[in-house]
Each structure stands twice: as structure tokens, then as C-alpha cells.
Amino acid sequence: MASLRIAIVLQTPKDQHSSVYLTYQSLPRELTRQGHQVAIITPQDFPLARRTAGRWTPLIYPWIVARWVRSHAKDCDIAVFHSYAGWRAVTVARRMHVKTVVAFHGLEPLYHAEIVKETEAAGGLSWRYRLLQERLMPMFLKRACQHA
């Protein structure tokens, strides 16, 4: 089998306390052992993403990733996007002939339901948070998965 150049794009920082980052540490080790080249890309790799961390990350970071995919497509055979990181980039990758995978745990809806319950007594979540989590993110994830 030919060696592949794989980019794993996470929406979380390269932080030893991030379960997403820790989970993805074993994948590059195994793929590298098999002779593939693997890079993990996170918001920390982009100055603009570092400056806009927080509530805007799910909207801004995927556009930054799409621009990165466009400029690095010739160096990448497969891009693995965790959760919402690739909702914009999968379309760009497809046009640039980069295969894509969208991977997520599927726990986001359960997590969101728990947050809704926990915050009810304090007046609930902000309309911005609810718009993002209940309307936009499911739409973005569906779009990304359809094109991956």
C-alpha cells in the first residue's frame, strides 16, 4: 500500500487535558507505524483562530480550515475532520480532490440536553448559544457528513 499524507483537523487545542486531543494521539502513532505521514492540526496552528477562541470558534475556525485545505491540498491525500472543524472545508477538499472523513462521538446532543436542564433554574441558555447548538451546528454537521 502506498504511503498516505493525512491531516487530522481538530477543533480543540493540543492540550493534554483535552479528551479529543488525547483520543487522537493513538491514531497518528499507528498510521505512522504503517508508513503514513500524519499531522494534527488545531486552532493553535492559526494566529486568527487563537485570537477568536471561544464562542466564535465553531463559526470562524471552519473557514480558516477551508483556506488551509485550499493552500495545502497538494500535500494532503486525506483530511479527517473532528466534529464541526470541517463543515466548510469538506466542500473545498472535494473540489481539490482530497478525500475527507468527518468523525465525532455523537455525544453533542446528549451534552446539550444536559446543559439545558442544568441551566433552566438560572433562566436558561442564551439565545445565541441555543441558535448555534440547536440550529446551526446540526445543519453544519449534516452538510459536512453528506460531502465527506
Side-chain angles (χ1 to χ4, degrees), residues 24 79-84 86-87 90 100-104 141 144-145 148:
Y24 276 93
V80 178
F81 301 107
H82 181 79
S83 191
Y84 65 77
W87 69 259
V90 292
T100 59
V101 174
V102 175
F104 54 98
L141 287 170
C145 290

Side-chain angles (χ1 to χ4, degrees), residues 77-114:
D77 300 307
I78 300 172
V80 178
F81 301 107
H82 181 79
S83 191
Y84 65 77
W87 69 259
R88 176 65 188 105
V90 292
T91 306
V92 172
R94 207 164 99 197
R95 275 190 239 128
M96 305 295 289
H97 306 291
V98 175
K99 303 288 185 205
T100 59
V101 174
V102 175
F104 54 98
H105 308 288
L107 299 176
E108 291 88 347
L110 299 174
Y111 175 73
H112 179 69
E114 287 301 312

Side-chain angles (χ1 to χ4, degrees), residues 6 8 10 16 18-34 36 38 40 105:
I6 304 165
I8 299 173
L10 306 178
Q16 294 305 317
S18 164
S19 63
V20 171
Y21 182 68
L22 291 174
T23 300
Y24 276 93
Q25 291 300 294
S26 59
L27 184 58
R29 279 195 299 269
E30 179 59 27
L31 291 170
T32 301
R33 189 185 69 72
Q34 293 180 23
H36 305 295
V38 183
I40 293 182
H105 308 288

Side-chain angles (χ1 to χ4, degrees), residues 27-63:
L27 184 58
R29 279 195 299 269
E30 179 59 27
L31 291 170
T32 301
R33 189 185 69 72
Q34 293 180 23
H36 305 295
Q37 300 170 32
V38 183
I40 293 182
I41 310 298
T42 73
Q44 291 170 302
D45 295 312
F46 305 99
L48 179 59
R50 288 193 306 263
R51 287 194 305 271
T52 58
R55 78 178 87 207
W56 298 108
T57 301
L59 298 174
I60 295 172
Y61 183 56
W63 287 93

Side-chain angles (χ1 to χ4, degrees), residues 3 8 17 19-20 28 47 66 72 78-79 90-91 93 106 119 124 127-129:
S3 176
I8 299 173
H17 300 290
S19 63
V20 171
H72 289 84
I78 300 172
V90 292
T91 306
T119 59
W127 67 268
R128 287 182 306 210
Y129 184 85

